[in-house]
Amino acid sequence: MESLQELKPKLHYKEVVLESECDIERLPSFDMIFFLLTPTQIGHKFFKKAVEEVFKVRKNSKTIFLAIDDCHRLDDEDVIKVTLELKASIKDIMKNPTVFKVSSYYASLHHQFERGQLTLEDLRRNREVMVPTQDGDMIMGKKLQGDHPAMLLELSKMEQLFELVQQFSSGIRNAGIDVAKKNWLVVGPDRTGKSLLTNLLQQSVGENNHFVENDIAEVDLGKYYDGMFVIFDLEWDKYSSYLEKICTSTVGSEKMIIVNKVDDFMFFDQSRDELLKEIKTKIQSYTSDPIYFVSASYYQQYIKLLQGEITVDDIIADPEIILVDPLNFPINKVRNKTELSQLLLDQSGFIQLLQQIGVMDDAREICRDEEIFSEYF
């Protein structure tokens, strides 16, 4: 505890508490959480309970960090053993977490020496201070020389945590993520409707998911986001090099390929089914990630209809809304007036997309006015 308090100006953390003083229910409210455990604390019920409490709110482990402290007292074999024990103790909660091996005590001694609060003689009298040589021997006591105290910070490996705190806190702000939700990066060429799609997804499934529109070149996908939506439209041939670049630079990341504006199929010299099949085949030559064909415009109209912002007559009067039958022939909207809302939803393609994200129902969940909903169903 004293070592961490000593390092507070360097770490820039908000609060450090002992196990006995920790209010577990408050943990999810912090952007980042570091569990700094001594070897004797591995497997304690408190630690597992604290991690479980965090995961009641958080959807991933990206903002939870684990470190084994007092590693200056362990040999290499013991460090490996303790690390494996730590991972095993929470394997049902966090899969293969990154574990830092540090010595906050050595880092604290280094900073006290730098400020003149400790002398070389103080360090020589401290039997825990041991500095390795290139030959693998350990120097301690009177053999410690003036250049050895500077090595304590490197031996502590706390500098890695210093840098991680600074980089990650800045990255969280720049990436715009919400630590309490599953975070999705939305990317795609201009004029493919990605902004509208981002807003609709946030509106529909934002309770447990967070969507951020950004440029793939400006972020570290794996560090901050849990997955990616890649948005295109029916003019696929213009974007093949873009998808190839995305796929080669994000290997192993969860991705969903979204082909938007399927309602524009009338402008192509192919039937709707033939066009979508051809595009799907081309995309599959680059990636095995799931592909969804949607119309953000139709889904937006569906939401507006449910929420009373527009009427069925507005849908009928809108010449850009062309709904089709199973043979892809335009339907008569007047004769199918009572079915227009369902047709909009079905032909928007959003039911399948939302189910994949984890919403087992569709946009009905975001409709706040049941009377509006029942008017059309």
Side-chain angles (χ1 to χ4, degrees):
M1 183 71 166
E2 292 179 0
S3 298
L4 288 178
Q5 294 288 12
E6 179 70 29
L7 298 176
K8 186 170 184 177
K10 183 73 174 179
L11 279 170
H12 301 294
Y13 56 74
K14 182 177 181 180
E15 188 173 355
V16 57
V17 294
L18 291 171
E19 170 187 330
S20 58
E21 302 170 353
C22 181
D23 181 358
I24 290 179
E25 294 182 356
R26 291 184 58 222
L27 292 179
S29 66
F30 294 94
D31 287 341
M32 293 182 288
I33 303 169
F34 286 83
F35 288 98
L36 193 62
L37 307 168
T38 63
T40 58
Q41 293 174 316
I42 305 300
H44 276 203
K45 290 183 179 179
F46 165 83
F47 169 58
K48 187 172 183 179
K49 185 177 179 181
V51 176
E52 288 175 340
E53 185 67 28
V54 173
F55 272 88
K56 287 181 181 178
V57 176
R58 308 215 175 181
K59 304 304 173 185
N60 59 70
S61 60
K62 295 181 185 297
T63 54
I64 301 172
F65 304 93
L66 308 177
I68 300 172
D69 200 6
D70 291 345
C71 282
H72 64 280
R73 296 173 178 170
L74 305 176
D75 58 28
D76 292 343
E77 185 176 340
D78 286 334
V79 169
I80 294 174
K81 180 180 178 181
V82 171
T83 301
L84 292 175
E85 288 177 357
L86 173 57
K87 291 184 177 183
S89 69
I90 55 171
K91 64 180 180 180
D92 296 333
I93 311 171
M94 294 178 66
K95 295 182 179 179
N96 196 29
T98 299
V99 180
F100 294 88
K101 296 88 175 178
V102 302
S103 171
S104 62
Y105 181 63
Y106 268 17
S108 176
L109 291 179
H110 169 266
H111 290 297
Q112 290 181 63
F113 180 82
E114 290 291 306
R115 292 198 301 267
Q117 295 173 313
L118 289 177
T119 66
L120 181 59
E121 284 302 316
D122 292 326
L123 296 179
R124 285 172 173 171
R125 287 194 294 267
N126 189 331
R127 295 190 177 186
E128 289 200 65
V129 177
M130 294 181 287
V131 178
T133 66
Q134 292 182 346
D135 298 329
D137 296 327
M138 303 300 291
I139 296 176
M140 60 184 299
K142 292 184 178 181
K143 292 183 179 180
L144 291 172
Q145 301 301 318
D147 58 335
H148 289 140
M151 298 175 63
L152 290 175
L153 182 59
E154 180 182 351
L155 292 172
S156 76
K157 298 184 180 179
M158 288 294 289
E159 194 70 23
Q160 298 175 20
L161 290 187
F162 300 157
E163 294 175 0
L164 181 63
V165 170
Q166 294 169 359
Q167 293 174 5
F168 211 89
S169 60
S170 175
I172 286 176
R173 292 192 299 271
N174 294 336
I177 70 170
D178 185 333
V179 298
K181 299 179 180 180
K182 185 170 185 178
N183 289 274
W184 297 91
L185 175 64
V186 182
V187 301
D190 293 335
R191 299 184 179 181
T192 54
K194 58 183 177 180
S195 294
L196 177 58
L197 261 165
T198 302
N199 292 334
L200 290 173
L201 288 168
Q202 190 64 49
Q203 183 182 8
S204 299
V205 291
E207 182 177 354
N208 295 314
N209 297 271
H210 184 63
F211 301 88
V212 180
E213 183 183 346
N214 210 332
D215 187 336
I216 185 63
E218 297 179 0
V219 296
D220 184 336
L221 173 65
K223 184 180 291 185
Y224 301 109
Y225 299 98
D226 304 293
M228 175 192 297
F229 282 81
V230 187
I231 314 300
F232 300 106
D233 61 25
L234 295 180
E235 295 185 271
W236 161 252
D237 290 334
K238 297 193 302 184
Y239 309 128
S240 57
S241 60
Y242 183 92
L243 179 60
E244 183 177 12
K245 179 181 177 181
I246 291 287
C247 292
T248 55
S249 62
T250 60
V251 176
S253 299
E254 182 179 358
K255 293 186 290 294
M256 296 189 196
I257 311 301
I258 311 297
V259 180
N260 190 25
K261 300 186 179 181
V262 295
D263 48 299
D264 286 345
F265 80 93
M266 291 288 190
F267 299 105
F268 293 79
D269 295 328
Q270 292 173 273
S271 71
R272 184 179 187 275
D273 289 347
E274 289 175 347
L275 176 62
L276 301 191
K277 182 178 180 180
E278 179 182 310
I279 293 174
K280 184 175 183 178
T281 299
K282 290 181 178 179
I283 294 176
Q284 287 176 331
S285 68
Y286 292 93
T287 178
S288 60
D289 294 304
I291 304 167
Y292 297 91
F293 293 91
V294 305
S295 169
S297 175
Y298 280 11
Y299 188 65
Q300 183 184 45
Q301 296 303 311
Y302 170 73
I303 297 300
K304 287 182 177 181
L305 186 61
L306 289 186
Q307 295 180 338
E309 297 179 27
I310 60 174
T311 66
V312 170
D313 289 334
D314 294 322
I315 300 297
I316 293 173
D318 190 337
E320 294 188 2
I321 298 179
I322 302 174
L323 301 169
V324 297
D325 63 18
L327 297 177
N328 291 319
F329 290 110
I331 67 167
N332 186 309
K333 290 190 284 186
V334 175
R335 285 205 297 264
N336 292 274
K337 185 174 182 178
T338 59
E339 301 176 15
L340 289 184
S341 56
Q342 186 63 46
L343 287 168
L344 273 174
L345 176 60
D346 291 343
Q347 296 185 26
S348 75
F350 264 70
I351 293 179
Q352 294 81 4
L353 178 59
L354 297 182
Q355 287 176 338
Q356 178 65 26
I357 299 173
V359 179
M360 299 313 295
D361 202 352
D362 54 49
R364 296 173 179 82
E365 294 192 359
I366 70 168
C367 181
R368 298 290 183 262
D369 192 331
E370 294 184 0
E371 292 183 0
I372 294 174
F373 178 81
S374 61
E375 179 181 348
Y376 299 108
F377 290 88

